[in-house]
Amino acid sequence: KVIIRHAPTWASLCVKKIMANDLLIEIGCEELPPKRLQSLATAFAENIRKEIETCGLTQGNIQSFATPRRLAVIIEQIADRQIDEELTKYGPALKDAFDDQGQPTKACLGFAKKWGVPVDELIKPKETDKNQKMIYRTSKKGKKTQELLPDIINNALKKLAIAKPMRWGAGPIEFIRPVHWVIVIFGVEVVPCDILGLKASNNSYGHRFHAPEAIVIEQPKEYQKKLKQAYVIVDFEQRKKIIQQQVEDLAKAKNAQVILDPDLLNEVTGLVEWPIALLANFEKEFLQVPKEALVAAMRDHQKCFSLVDQDQQLLPHFITVANIKSEKPQIVVAGNERVMRARLSDAKFFFDNDKKTPLADRLEKTKHVIFQRKLGSLYDKAARLAKSMPTIATMLDIDQKSAQRAGRLSKCDLVTDMVQEFTELQGTMGYYYALHDGEAKEVALALKEQYLPRFAQDSLPQTTLGCALALAERLDHLVGMLIIYPVPKGMKDPYKLRRTGLAIARIIIEKQFDLDLDQLLACSIENYQHTLSKENKKKEDVAQTASQLILNRLSAYYTETQGIPQDQFNAARKWTQSQSKLFDLHHRIIAIHEFSSSAQAEALAIASKRVHNILKNVDEKLLQVPWDQQLMQIEAERALVERLTPAQAQIDQLCKQKHYRQALNELAELRDPVDRFFDDVMVMVEDIELRNNRLRILYQLNELLRRIVPISELQFK
């Protein structure tokens, strides 16, 4: 259920004596797509809300409802008509409206004709009016809500994003599924209108089997109650909670845990109107098949929930959710077990049959599967990975032969029967088949982990070899796509290049790898010499584009998930000489983020801006001369110089050791001598030698602040 709260202006309703009533809209269809049901209901309610607002009608809460056979919306306290409007239109100036004899001019006559009134009904401006123009005033009577509703509903339905609308009958009407009934009730009255080729009524229909007769809905408030009596729970979220509770209770009775996939739960909720969860069993012999394959078969084919024990081992049970309350549930269970047996038999056959052919022997078959027309086959992609892996292995200090073997076998499981049936098992089945073939365990694990992370918050590979293969796979994808396609812009990113770039950055940073991004990209680009030449691209340009894409995505990652502002990320990028060292860049970002919350940081930022303003019009050659100790007359300038020289050396040493937080702490110690300098020392004195000496001190301070971190660019509240 989606509730959108709006506070109606009750004062205006009372003044204008406008009444308010509840509105019910229900579109009854053939079975709607279960995966899209919730989003359709939300979009329909939102479209209705926007259309009502466009018409200037006040409204209360909006509730959306969805079952496999209906989309419904209830809007509380919607005004029964629009507020009357007073319209004021201005015409020609008074001096131009009448001639010397007091007769209306053509301009005045034309203005009156435009609004269909005689000149006598126009209003002359008063002498006190600033705007000395002829006036026409009228009132526009607000339309009744019942008159507006047909267009409101039809417009809301037209704006639903439906990729493949269906037609039924001989007419031109289209919708996501054929429509069988429509309800539009305002207050207690049926609104006479045509929606999707049907006349609105107050007749709804309950459960297809338990209560197939028509149900008369007399007012919106009784909608949920009457449908529930007819074995239909119209509230999507309520239905989902019931299913979850039933499933968990059945699992608890077996001392087990249910694998509660959120997508599966939503899909099942979209398949039933009166959920009844039932526990069923399958033969233990199927447990010889990998757990992931059995779960996929139960989830994808039968929309059933799997059970595991306390050690997360799969149990020979599953839970199905029926859409009927049977007097003999054992018959329903037996039917589900019979179908499940066939599905799991297929999975077992695939697994047993795939094991007959070693992964390495499937390599030849990958030549016939195109990865991308311009980038070659799966065989070509695996060859590129096998070529890149030894170089990455050297960087990560792992075995090169194992790395090359993992790259060579990385795509072999894509041509197995199991993965072709359940595509989400890519990598996972490669792991099981590699172990069966006697491959090294680290190679098998790398095959399993190569697609991690799949999305922004997904877990990373656990093994170093798995990280290496995941990096090689994504670098190959990113580089290859950037050679043949432009950089994604706006919301369009069909090949998920931003996600790929973020995955590369996350693996390097979160696994604490001291890797150089430029070297990784160069290693991958070397595999595309022929494609580069064919597409007339330079490898330097591709490398720069890829690096920039990764850094831009990394910026969004820190802002969205770590709460680090953009200015701090930019400051860290300017601080480092090599942005390609992502893990080093990460340390600098965190150091700046922690440092920026201190009072010293803000004070130094203000001082840095002040120094910059003083020096911006001074010849830099004049400032690069060393300061003269003899010209220091004030204690504050001597104190700053005495602190500045050792601070430079200490900060440089800490930065070499990558102790960036300590380096910024050392920088913070300059706050007091800097504040004293500006409090006690006049820089722009008449004595030229004295002035230049003090400018040179500020120049050295400015160089230190700029070299360590562009602190003046940090933003403070």
Side-chain angles (χ1 to χ4, degrees), residues 16 18 53-57 81-89 136-143 148:
K16 297 293 182 179
I18 295 178
E53 284 187 351
T54 301
C55 291
L57 297 169
R81 66 181 176 86
Q82 295 172 319
I83 298 174
D84 296 342
E85 291 184 73
E86 294 293 333
L87 299 178
T88 300
K89 301 297 180 181
Y136 169 65
R137 284 201 179 99
T138 186
S139 61
K140 181 182 178 183
K141 192 171 181 62
K143 291 184 177 181
L148 299 169

Side-chain angles (χ1 to χ4, degrees), residues 445-504:
L445 284 170
L447 299 182
K448 183 178 183 180
E449 296 176 337
Q450 64 179 304
Y451 298 108
L452 296 176
R454 296 180 180 86
F455 49 89
Q457 303 301 325
D458 196 14
S459 58
L460 300 179
Q462 296 300 306
T463 65
T464 306
L465 183 56
C467 289
L469 186 56
L471 281 172
E473 208 280 336
R474 281 162 177 78
L475 287 163
D476 180 82
H477 178 76
L478 180 63
V479 168
M481 290 301 174
L482 287 177
I483 291 174
I484 62 176
Y485 292 118
V487 179
K489 294 181 180 180
M491 298 298 292
K492 294 182 179 180
D493 188 8
Y495 302 104
K496 304 296 184 289
L497 299 190
R498 295 191 186 99
R499 182 190 298 176
T500 301
L502 179 59
I504 293 169

